[in-house]
Amino acid sequence: MSKLVWFLLVILLVYTILPTLIVRLGGFGVYTKGKRANGIALTFDDGPDPDYTPQLLDLLAAYQVKATFFVLGSKAEKYPELIMRMHKEGHLIGIHNYVHWANALMTPMKVKKQLSDSVKAIENIIGEKPIYYRPPWGIINIFDLILLKQFHMVLWSLMVGDWRSSGGKNRIRNELLSKLSNNDIILLHDSGQTFGADQNAPIFMLEALSEFLEECKRREYIFLRIDSKMKLDGPRKQEPLQLLKKTIVYFWLKWEMLFYWLFNVRPLDPNYQIFYIRLCKYHGSTIYLENDEKLSDGDLVVELHFNNEKLFQMISQSSTSVQLAVNLIRDVQRFLPTLTQYLKLHQEVRGIYGITMIHRGSKQMGFTVKELPKGMLRMLSHIYLRFLMFIFHPQGRKRLMKGQLSPRIVAISASEVIRRYPADSSSPSL
């Protein structure tokens, strides 16, 4: 498998698979099921639909049940009278994106626009901003965690595959009744127009729901809107993002062990493990260095990789960003004389090369700092390194939001490292 394929798999893992698994399995930062409040929450996705949503509203009105609708902004604009009817009849309206696209397939800015367009569409109709959000298919990307300050993210605890017509109403009704507990959040769909759904599936959902509500009435179950249910359950944990970060760091460091083994990335000195290294050929445009040397395509280089486990330890032990920067520079300066020893044993190496967001002070240490050329590598490196900064750096989120951090190429010739950082010296000659 090529390095590009592995890199794409890493990006996919970090960007969406790992965050989605942690949120879905661990429930970090999202509401998936009531814990203290008895009461069933009926929720409906993918609408409004001009054929099925009116029938659903009639059914809910007949049983005096209040539900929560996670609507698509584009459909809200197309059928404003249905949104207004939901609102007037006491149902809660949330967002399910502007169109039914998975967040994994969109950039953070695209997701943000989907939500802002949906908020605007719904607010223009009912005069209130929706604050409850369910991402399509329950799939998120890592940057969606920032949305937790603006929206209450709501998933579900009971799903019965009502987007399929197979089995008809009996399958849906039987699954609802057999799996139900009195504090579930039930996911149903009042439209069959999304990818993977049968167009006539809502017919069977409505038939099954009618019989389900009749049985629930007999059992004297209570139905609640999501906002009422969450209020009765009490406030959300205040720091879900920090807990999520620690979990992601743990799994990420385990993944890095596998990555290092696959690509033969290893520590150079057990005493100064701020960097791991990989001996490889440089591939890319010529880099002209500060000392009139250059790195050309095909040159043998030492590729530097930050030891993120060490970096995370330093962050945890540093009380301020200034202290972190000082400790980081000190460790780099301790590492470079050891690198000189390695270069003297590998005289065929032309230079040292890396891509990083932590490049402040690199020029003073003799490195050339350059922007990445436009292209796939730049885009993927940008996503990957911004994720790491967001997770590892104490002010990563704030600095990313301000645009203060962006990936750069840092490079230095082997001869310059040997000249500046003699192996028999404990301090570098700056």
Side-chain angles (χ1 to χ4, degrees):
M1 192 178 293
S2 69
K3 287 195 290 184
L4 179 60
V5 172
W6 275 109
F7 195 72
L8 289 171
L9 288 174
V10 171
I11 292 295
L12 186 64
L13 176 73
V14 171
Y15 189 66
T16 182
I17 295 175
L18 187 56
T20 297
L21 284 176
I22 291 173
V23 165
R24 294 283 295 274
L25 298 178
F28 297 118
V30 300
Y31 190 62
T32 58
K33 187 174 183 178
K35 296 179 180 178
R36 294 187 294 275
N38 288 335
I40 300 165
L42 277 177
T43 68
F44 299 91
D45 290 4
D46 300 355
D49 184 279
D51 295 323
Y52 300 118
T53 303
Q55 297 178 56
L56 173 58
L57 290 171
D58 290 342
L59 180 60
L60 294 174
Y63 284 92
Q64 298 182 327
V65 169
K66 305 304 179 188
T68 302
F69 289 83
F70 292 99
V71 304
L72 298 172
S74 59
K75 288 189 174 183
E77 289 179 337
K78 192 173 182 180
Y79 308 110
E81 70 283 356
L82 291 176
I83 299 297
M84 181 57 75
R85 181 181 170 186
M86 291 175 190
H87 179 64
K88 286 184 175 180
E89 294 183 5
H91 303 291
L92 179 65
I93 300 172
I95 296 173
H96 198 46
N97 280 359
Y98 188 76
V99 294
H100 204 280
W101 291 347
N103 291 12
L105 304 177
M106 296 187 287
T107 65
M109 291 306 296
K110 183 68 174 179
V111 174
K112 183 179 179 181
K113 187 175 189 308
Q114 287 261 324
L115 290 173
S116 62
D117 287 349
S118 298
V119 168
K120 183 179 178 181
I122 295 167
E123 187 179 15
N124 286 342
I125 299 168
I126 66 173
E128 296 178 9
K129 286 186 176 181
I131 60 171
Y132 296 87
Y133 174 53
R134 175 177 286 162
W137 295 292
I139 297 172
I140 68 168
N141 67 59
I142 185 65
F143 295 98
D144 288 344
L145 299 173
I146 299 173
L147 301 174
L148 296 177
K149 286 190 174 291
Q150 183 182 359
F151 295 96
H152 297 282
M153 197 175 294
V154 181
L155 297 182
W156 59 86
S157 58
L158 178 54
M159 178 171 59
V160 294
D162 65 306
W163 60 88
R164 301 191 307 269
S165 300
S166 60
K169 71 169 184 178
N170 291 333
R171 177 185 62 80
I172 298 172
R173 180 201 59 214
N174 292 340
E175 287 195 41
L176 283 172
L177 291 173
S178 64
K179 297 178 181 179
L180 181 68
S181 65
N182 64 355
N183 58 358
D184 269 321
I185 298 175
I186 300 175
L187 167 60
L188 296 170
H189 302 80
D190 57 328
S191 176
Q193 297 177 349
T194 53
F195 177 76
D198 297 327
Q199 282 197 336
N200 65 339
I203 294 174
F204 303 107
M205 182 278 292
L206 289 167
E207 293 174 349
L209 182 62
S210 178
E211 297 183 10
F212 171 74
L213 290 175
E214 185 64 33
E215 179 62 22
C216 287
K217 180 180 178 181
R218 189 186 68 79
R219 298 183 188 182
E220 298 184 343
Y221 283 145
I222 298 172
F223 288 89
L224 298 170
R225 299 189 338 174
I226 285 294
D227 54 348
S228 301
K229 191 172 177 61
M230 290 181 70
K231 185 176 181 180
L232 290 172
D233 264 329
R236 295 185 300 170
K237 293 181 179 180
Q238 295 299 308
E239 296 297 336
L241 188 56
Q242 294 304 317
L243 184 59
L244 183 59
K245 276 189 174 186
K246 290 181 180 179
T247 306
I248 292 175
V249 166
Y250 172 81
F251 283 107
W252 179 259
L253 293 177
K254 295 298 182 185
W255 155 252
E256 280 195 343
M257 293 175 63
L258 175 61
F259 177 86
Y260 291 160
W261 176 77
L262 287 170
F263 289 91
N264 196 29
V265 180
R266 59 187 180 83
L268 186 60
D269 185 341
N271 296 315
Y272 303 116
Q273 291 191 24
I274 190 61
F275 287 116
Y276 284 1
I277 68 164
R278 182 169 79 104
L279 194 62
C280 61
K281 288 185 177 181
Y282 169 71
H283 294 291
S285 302
T286 299
I287 301 176
Y288 294 93
L289 304 174
E290 299 294 335
N291 62 343
D292 296 327
E293 294 187 69
K294 63 182 180 180
L295 289 181
S296 301
D297 189 75
D299 284 347
L300 192 66
V301 295
V302 170
E303 190 177 81
L304 292 181
H305 295 260
F306 266 115
N307 177 357
N308 288 314
E309 183 173 12
K310 173 71 172 177
L311 186 60
F312 185 64
Q313 290 174 354
M314 292 175 66
I315 290 170
S316 302
Q317 296 166 1
S318 301
S319 56
T320 66
S321 293
V322 173
Q323 183 182 358
L324 173 62
V326 170
N327 291 338
L328 188 59
I329 291 172
R330 185 178 297 143
D331 266 32
V332 172
Q333 290 175 336
R334 288 172 178 170
F335 166 82
L336 290 170
T338 305
L339 181 58
T340 293
Q341 291 180 328
Y342 179 85
L343 294 173
K344 287 183 175 180
L345 296 174
H346 298 80
Q347 296 184 12
E348 68 277 19
V349 173
R350 295 296 304 275
I352 293 83
Y353 168 87
I355 300 175
T356 181
M357 280 188 171
I358 306 176
H359 45 73
R360 181 175 294 181
S362 298
K363 288 186 178 180
Q364 288 82 353
M365 301 176 75
F367 287 82
T368 297
V369 180
K370 295 178 65 67
E371 287 193 10
L372 282 164
K374 292 182 179 180
M376 182 65 72
L377 178 61
R378 178 173 175 170
M379 182 187 73
L380 295 177
S381 297
H382 191 75
I383 294 172
Y384 166 70
L385 293 173
R386 283 174 71 88
F387 163 76
L388 286 184
M389 186 59 63
F390 174 74
I391 294 299
F392 284 94
H393 197 283
Q395 295 182 341
R397 178 184 171 191
K398 182 188 297 185
R399 296 178 69 183
L400 285 173
M401 294 290 283
K402 292 181 178 180
Q404 295 176 339
L405 295 171
S406 58
R408 295 285 190 273
I409 294 171
V410 293
I412 188 172
S413 69
S415 60
E416 187 67 9
V417 172
I418 294 171
R419 185 186 72 81
R420 282 177 172 256
Y421 305 98
D424 57 350
S425 174
S426 61
S427 60
S429 55
L430 295 174

